[in-house]
Amino acid sequence: MTLRISLRNGEPVIVNGAVLRSVGRTDLMVENSATILRGRDVMKPEEADSPARQLYFACMMAYIDQSELKTHQDALLERLEKLMAALEAQEAKAVCIPFAQKVATGQFYRALADCRWLIGYEAQVLQRAAIAA
């Protein structure tokens, strides 16, 4: 199965751990299995400043850094436990179940989508709390 990736000028992409940057608008065709993460999906360590963002970062690292998988999986589980303890809404807790299933089966890229949902949910909760204060 071929995967087509379109990159904007200067957009980075991680392919099997190597950081590449496009020069001009670039289309890539990936014709075999590879670990790929576009720049817009990459989170820097300093951006992991909330429980959901820390979970995303740990999941991203498990996906792109297979050499330290055990370390990243341990961090993932620790952050998932903390996040689930902090969540009150059943809807948000329900998202954590398929996330954990994806992580358990090594589907880290797909699990990142659940993290993005949790980051959005977390932002809404924090915004409502700021308005109420």
Side-chain angles (χ1 to χ4, degrees):
M1 183 173 137
T2 300
L3 171 66
R4 181 182 181 150
I5 300 171
S6 295
L7 300 171
R8 296 174 285 208
N9 183 35
E11 184 176 7
V13 62
I14 298 173
V15 179
N16 289 342
V19 179
L20 310 172
R21 185 170 305 278
S22 68
V23 177
R25 179 147 173 73
T26 306
D27 287 336
L28 300 174
M29 300 296 285
V30 181
E31 299 191 5
N32 64 343
S33 180
T35 301
I36 300 170
L37 196 61
R38 290 177 299 179
R40 62 191 93 151
D41 296 326
V42 174
M43 180 180 286
K44 296 176 184 168
E46 61 272 14
E47 295 173 326
D49 58 2
S50 70
R53 289 179 159 279
Q54 290 169 359
L55 184 66
Y56 183 97
F57 185 79
C59 186
M60 179 193 76
M61 291 304 298
Y63 178 59
I64 64 173
D65 184 18
Q66 294 286 304
S67 66
E68 295 291 327
L69 183 58
K70 175 70 172 120
T71 301
H72 299 309
Q73 284 177 320
D74 291 345
L76 253 171
L77 292 175
E78 178 184 329
R79 283 163 178 76
L80 181 58
E81 287 176 14
K82 286 182 180 179
L83 182 63
M84 288 199 62
L87 292 173
E88 294 179 7
Q90 289 301 318
E91 177 186 20
K93 287 184 180 190
V95 171
C96 293
I97 295 167
F99 169 82
Q101 291 170 332
K102 290 169 189 160
V103 166
T105 58
Q107 298 178 54
F108 300 110
Y109 184 80
R110 291 178 186 236
L112 289 173
D114 295 328
C115 284
R116 282 190 286 276
W117 187 93
L118 289 165
I119 289 169
Y121 170 80
E122 181 181 63
Q124 289 175 351
V125 168
L126 292 173
Q127 184 179 24
R128 284 190 297 242
I131 291 171

